[in-house]
């Protein structure tokens, strides 16, 4: 079965950096669209970033220019490099995945993630 395990969270001061990792297993990694979603205490989940199977990346405006998503298909691992961290980045960060779909001669990523990791906490102090 699909399993996603995040790591790399921790506590840093504002302006610092962290790199999150998500080890995936149980499926063909290169056939899945991957992403990161975060949830701060008392708030709704917020999409952070996604990467499609062709390597196309997208980011929420709140992290654009500071965060970088990447993946290593050989290691079945997704990453999120987070630089210039702000206190408002404090949240539980979840790795997520959904299988790509084929329609009208085109592969695309469905809007909703299907599989989720258990999360890793990121705390940024001012």
């Amino acid at each position: 079965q699909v399993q996603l395990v995040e790591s790399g969270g921790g506590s840093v001061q504002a302006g610092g950096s962290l790199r999150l990792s998500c080890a995936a297993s149980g499926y063909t990694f290169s056939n899945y669209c991957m992403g990161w979603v975060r949830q701060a205490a008392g708030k709704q989940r917020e999409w952070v970033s996604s990467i499609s199977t062709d390597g196309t990346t997208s980011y929420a405006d709140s992290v654009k220019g500071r965060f970088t998503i990447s993946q290593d298909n050989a290691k079945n691992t997704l990453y999120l490099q987070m630089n210039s961290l702000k206190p408002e980045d404090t949240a539980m960060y979840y790795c997520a995945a959904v299988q790509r779909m084929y329609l009208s001669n085109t592969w695309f990523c469905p809007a909703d993630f299907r599989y989720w990791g258990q999360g890793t906490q990121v705390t940024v102090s001012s």
Side-chain angles (χ1 to χ4, degrees), residues 45-92:
R45 279 189 175 181
E46 174 191 20
W47 169 77
V48 174
S49 179
S50 294
I51 184 167
S52 65
T53 54
D54 66 359
T56 302
T57 59
S58 54
Y59 299 92
D61 288 342
S62 59
V63 306
K64 199 171 294 183
R66 301 187 297 120
F67 291 10
T68 303
I69 191 171
S70 63
Q71 62 186 31
D72 185 332
N73 288 345
K75 296 182 178 180
N76 287 2
T77 302
L78 177 74
Y79 302 100
L80 185 68
Q81 178 67 43
M82 305 185 295
N83 299 328
S84 302
L85 283 162
K86 304 175 180 180
E88 52 263 43
D89 294 319
T90 295
M92 185 72 79

Side-chain angles (χ1 to χ4, degrees), residues 5 15 47 96 108 111:
V5 180
W47 169 77
F108 70 96

